[in-house]
Amino acid sequence: MEAHIEKLKDLLEDSKVCMFGTFEESRMTFRPMALVDTDEMGNLWFFTSTDSTVTHQIKDNTNVSLTFSNEKENTYV
């Protein structure tokens, strides 16, 4: 498992912005979000306001979709 987390960290090292998707009723909403950190457990950390739409959507449905890309390195996560 540790090797997978290190691989994830390597892939995300130069891809700090992702499209962060949340679910609202029967549709997904995407917005760009900046990755703050990837911890030793492989959790990805983002900052947002406690009153933001994304926070309320995650409280209603904890499933999210993240899409990272680095065209220079041709990596996509």
Side-chain angles (χ1 to χ4, degrees):
M1 179 70 119
E2 193 172 299
H4 296 301
I5 294 170
E6 288 305 314
K7 177 69 173 178
L8 177 64
K9 286 181 174 185
D10 288 343
L11 288 170
L12 298 180
E13 185 174 350
D14 295 323
S15 302
K16 295 298 183 185
V17 175
C18 74
M19 293 305 292
F20 191 107
T22 55
F23 295 89
E24 185 174 34
E25 297 178 13
S26 61
R27 67 184 176 102
M28 289 190 74
T29 303
F30 287 90
R31 82 272 298 144
M33 300 260 313
L35 177 64
V36 175
D37 191 25
T38 304
D39 68 19
E40 298 304 315
M41 298 291 293
N43 296 304
L44 306 180
W45 291 87
F46 300 87
F47 284 125
T48 189
S49 168
T50 57
D51 293 329
S52 70
T53 301
V54 68
T55 301
H56 292 289
Q57 289 172 337
I58 293 171
K59 285 180 181 177
D60 292 338
N61 185 337
T62 58
N63 294 305
V64 299
S65 176
L66 305 173
T67 305
F68 290 86
S69 66
N70 181 336
E71 293 177 0
K72 290 180 185 176
E73 299 293 325
N74 199 31
T75 56
Y76 305 91
V77 179

